[in-house]
Amino acid sequence: MRKKLVVGNWKMHGSRAANAALLSGLKELGPWSADVAVCVPFPYLAETALALTGQAVGLGAQDCSAFEQGAYTGEVSSAMLADLGCRYVIVGHSERRAYHHESDQLVADKAKAALAHGVTPIVCVGETLAEREAGQTEAVVKRQLAAVIHTLTHCIGEIVLAYEPVWAIGTGLTATPEQAQAVHAVLRKQLHAATQKSDAMRILYGGSVKPDNALQLFAQPDIDGGLIGGAALKAADFAAICRAAH
Ligand code: 13P
């Protein structure tokens, strides 16, 4: 039985005051039986780590460099994330693939860099609306995952995978539980061929998860929790989603 994981992706939202209010709201509403984490913007990692002291909520970042260290202005290394107490880092979010032209290989290299420092990469895959309508969903997510499997080889069992259909992100258009489950099953099968640990690996769903649809999504056999955007910015909504994951 896989323990569910719910991760809030704050994206480029927040301020010191807003974060303090959100985190203290979560503290009052928790704990939950699922594993829970928040992936916050880089400038707020240190302060969030302090605010989460003694709580079961894990800390994560939203990206990391594929490089170890050096002259890479503006980059943040996975060693730095580990140093700040990060347990997770999101890599390959569709917003980074789209706006920063991140390739499948770069995403895989970032996942490798994270694992090298004991930070669990949450690797995102997902198709665009045009790709879904062209019947390419399976091919796209399999291609994105294949690069990570090829690069991590025997370490692939250490990642968390997240299926985030691009057309469902921030649109209010959630994949139906059946649509999401179908893709999760494809991904689990691909992982199964690569590692004996596939049954223990968590595959999260992301894309317009809300308190009113979380329960149905999380009830699917291969959906092991969620990667939550907008609803993670409201303590009551995020807490309700965490409660739905049991
Ligand atoms: P929304 O929950 O706002 O659709 O965002 C999903 C997402 O991109 C999480 O990484």
Side-chain angles (χ1 to χ4, degrees):
M1 190 55 189
R2 294 178 288 270
K3 190 170 180 189
K4 288 205 167 37
L5 169 64
V6 179
V7 179
N9 174 9
W10 290 5
K11 306 193 179 183
M12 198 172 72
H13 293 287
S15 65
R16 296 179 71 190
N19 302 347
L22 177 52
L23 292 167
S24 78
L26 291 181
K27 190 172 184 176
E28 274 171 35
L29 295 165
W32 304 274
S33 58
D35 287 337
V36 173
V38 288
C39 291
V40 313
F42 291 134
Y44 300 129
L45 282 170
E47 204 164 52
T48 304
L50 275 181
L52 292 177
T53 307
Q55 284 188 66
V57 177
L59 180 67
Q62 299 170 17
D63 185 34
C64 69
S65 175
F67 299 108
E68 183 63 28
Q69 64 171 347
Y72 301 104
T73 302
E75 294 275 276
V76 175
S77 73
S78 54
M80 294 171 187
L81 300 183
D83 197 21
L84 284 166
C86 287
R87 197 178 304 167
Y88 301 100
V89 60
I90 297 169
V91 296
H93 193 280
S94 61
E95 287 150 15
R96 294 210 60 89
R97 290 180 191 262
Y99 308 144
H100 300 271
H101 311 292
E102 294 197 3
S103 66
D104 296 338
Q105 188 56 53
L106 179 61
V107 172
D109 291 342
K110 288 182 173 195
K112 189 173 182 179
L115 280 180
H117 291 280
V119 180
T120 299
I122 300 173
V123 177
C124 301
V125 299
E127 83 287 4
T128 63
L129 185 58
E131 288 164 340
R132 173 162 282 264
E133 286 175 344
Q136 294 168 349
T137 299
E138 263 196 38
V140 169
V141 298
K142 280 168 123 175
R143 187 203 72 221
Q144 291 171 333
L145 178 56
V148 185
I149 290 172
H150 180 76
T151 299
L152 298 188
T153 61
H154 63 279
C155 293
I156 187 67
E158 308 304 315
I159 73 164
V160 169
L161 189 58
Y163 169 55
E164 294 208 317
V166 179
W167 48 272
I169 295 176
T171 57
L173 277 180
T174 318
T176 64
E178 294 73 25
Q179 280 174 323
Q181 167 57 30
V183 178
H184 281 233
V186 164
L187 293 170
R188 177 98 51 209
K189 199 170 159 202
Q190 191 178 0
L191 290 170
H192 187 69
T195 172
Q196 291 174 344
K197 292 187 182 170
S198 62
D199 283 344
M201 291 179 70
R202 294 187 284 196
I203 309 178
L204 312 183
Y205 168 78
S208 298
V209 179
K210 306 282 180 234
D212 62 2
N213 59 26
L215 203 58
Q216 274 188 301
L217 285 160
F218 298 164
Q220 299 301 312
D222 288 297
I223 299 185
D224 308 309
L227 184 52
I228 320 300
L233 299 173
K234 291 186 198 136
D237 285 1
F238 189 62
I241 294 168
C242 294
R243 255 196 317 278
H246 47 69

